[in-house]
Amino acid sequence: MRFIFKTSYDQDIHLVRHEGQRFWYGLLLVALLAAPWLLPDYWLAQLTFVFIYAIVAVGLMLLAGFTGQFSIGHAAFMGVGAYTEAWLAARGWPFPVSLACAMGLSAAVGVVVGLPALRVKGMYLGIATLSFGFIVEEVLARWESVTGGSAGQSVKPMALFGWAFDSDRAFYFVCLVCMVLSTLAVLNLLRAPTGRAFVAIRDSEVSAQSMGIHLARYKSLSFAISAALAGLGGALYAHKMTFISPDQFNLVQSIDLLLMVVIGGLGSMHGAFFGAIFLIGAPQVIALFKDLLPPAIGQATGLQAVVYGLVLIAFVMFEPMGIHGRWLKIRTWLELYPFYRRGMFKRQKSFQKSERLK
């Protein structure tokens, strides 16, 4: 089976590059489809959270990794999507309609937030998105008639044609389908002229503009798509948690999301999934080894934040391409062994490269 799309230039676009990828991706899909019958409920829930955060990571990767626009307030888009879905679900709206509204409203807010990106970039854009995150958190806490305020609100199970997705297994498959469709959509977008425009803006705004790329249009579009995917993840997150409150979409959550794509590997779609696995799996590993540490360290407050910080520093200093970059080096070592030479990657550029051109 060939996955082929046509662009405006009438080029064949293969979402699966070769037979090896088709085999391994197919095997992974079979394993994910069989997981609900093989895994305990706890690990199935953790895998569901990986899917949800992977959707958000794919959107943030499109914005930060492929367009070069950093956001430190991305949890706000998740909050908009989560509260929109909760409000509409409480009034009996069908799940596909409420989900589309959550994504649409998040995208509209993303366009508004993307407006500062037309005039500022780098650290100043990060400050602008950070300020927006504080504003959204405050609105969610103060608008009690809609959001329930700081007390939060419960979320009804998703329903479609009278069938409620109230079981963990049914919700798992919903998240799996949403993740696969989101990933395929972004992959197709990156292979289209729009995706090339995003990468051109990331590499050099001056060069992109000289080639006729409308910076304002494509930056706003990147923010809108990224925010829509964050809204989708927020809507699924709300149904999974069954209860939401403003403090679930605060600055810490935004930093975790940015940490997720940086550690996973900026400029890599694989990095979005590696980052989601890290974000969900790291607390489990920390809890596992906490009892083995001295009590003064293992029981210390903020141990998880310290570990996250150390991991981030280690990747920035020794592996700028993240987990995916390290995997590429391991794979190259396996392919070239015993002809692999030390220092082969010393001249690699620390700036992220797009998988689209590989």
Side-chain angles (χ1 to χ4, degrees):
M1 181 173 58
R2 300 177 67 194
F3 297 88
I4 300 177
F5 290 83
K6 295 286 186 177
T7 68
S8 58
Y9 297 106
D10 198 33
Q11 296 173 337
D12 288 344
I13 293 176
H14 301 263
L15 296 182
V16 179
R17 297 189 182 95
H18 50 76
E19 292 296 331
Q21 283 192 349
R22 182 177 288 110
F23 171 78
W24 289 110
Y25 288 153
L27 185 62
L28 176 61
L29 182 59
V30 171
L32 293 177
L33 291 174
W37 290 276
L38 301 176
L39 296 178
D41 292 341
Y42 175 78
W43 291 111
L44 186 65
Q46 298 304 306
L47 191 55
T48 303
F49 278 117
V50 170
F51 294 162
I52 294 173
Y53 279 99
I55 295 173
V56 182
V58 166
L60 187 55
M61 186 67 73
L62 178 67
L63 179 67
F66 290 99
T67 316
Q69 308 297 307
F70 283 88
S71 171
I72 316 181
H74 226 64
F77 300 125
M78 284 188 66
V80 172
Y83 274 94
T84 303
E85 174 65 25
W87 192 84
L88 295 178
R91 283 149 183 81
W93 286 49
F95 173 67
V97 179
S98 62
L99 189 64
C101 291
M103 295 178 64
L105 183 58
S106 298
V109 175
V111 172
V112 175
V113 177
L115 294 179
L118 309 181
R119 302 296 299 272
V120 298
K121 57 183 178 180
M123 179 184 67
Y124 301 101
L125 177 59
I127 293 174
T129 56
L130 177 63
S131 303
F132 168 75
F134 287 135
I135 293 173
V136 170
E137 184 181 358
E138 191 68 17
V139 170
L140 295 178
R142 300 293 181 180
W143 200 359
E144 297 183 1
S145 60
V146 175
T147 65
S150 300
Q153 64 174 298
S154 58
V155 183
K156 283 188 175 182
M158 62 178 65
L160 178 62
F161 302 121
W163 181 35
F165 294 82
D166 52 358
S167 68
D168 293 338
R169 184 177 298 177
F171 186 74
Y172 169 89
F173 284 113
V174 171
C175 294
L176 176 61
V177 170
C178 290
M179 182 196 68
V180 172
L181 293 179
S182 301
T183 304
L184 292 178
V186 172
L187 283 174
N188 187 38
L189 179 67
L190 290 173
R191 288 160 172 78
T194 301
R196 298 187 186 100
F198 289 159
V199 175
I201 292 173
R202 180 200 68 185
D203 292 342
S204 173
E205 292 188 7
V206 175
S207 299
Q209 195 169 21
S210 67
M211 291 187 294
I213 295 175
H214 197 289
L215 297 183
R217 179 186 306 162
Y218 284 101
K219 282 185 178 181
S220 300
L221 180 60
S222 179
F223 262 98
I225 297 174
S226 180
L229 291 176
L232 170 59
L236 296 174
Y237 178 85
H239 282 293
K240 180 59 181 175
M241 297 297 293
T242 69
F243 180 85
I244 54 176
S245 60
D247 58 0
Q248 293 173 312
F249 309 102
N250 55 14
L251 174 61
V252 176
Q253 179 77 297
S254 294
I255 294 176
D256 284 345
L257 296 179
L258 187 59
L259 181 74
M260 176 171 58
V261 295
V262 172
I263 291 181
L266 281 172
S268 162
M269 287 297 294
H270 289 91
F273 295 92
F274 287 139
I277 294 172
F278 171 82
L279 188 65
I280 300 302
Q284 315 300 326
V285 176
I286 294 173
L288 183 64
F289 288 95
K290 184 181 295 186
D291 296 335
L292 302 179
L293 298 173
I297 299 177
Q299 305 302 324
T301 304
L303 176 62
Q304 180 173 320
V306 172
V307 173
Y308 278 11
L310 293 176
V311 171
L312 179 60
I313 292 173
F315 272 101
V316 169
M317 292 181 61
F318 304 109
E319 189 51 80
M321 294 179 66
I323 298 175
H324 181 248
R326 177 53 53 181
W327 158 244
L328 289 179
K329 294 178 181 180
I330 294 174
R331 188 183 67 183
T332 303
W333 184 86
L334 294 174
E335 290 175 349
L336 298 181
Y337 184 83
F339 303 104
Y340 179 89
R341 293 185 298 106
R342 293 189 63 182
M344 286 184 62
F345 294 95
K346 283 187 177 180
R347 293 187 178 182
Q348 73 173 17
K349 292 183 179 179
S350 60
F351 190 81
Q352 307 80 14
K353 292 183 179 180
S354 168
E355 286 186 325
R356 181 180 58 80
L357 301 177
K358 292 181 180 178

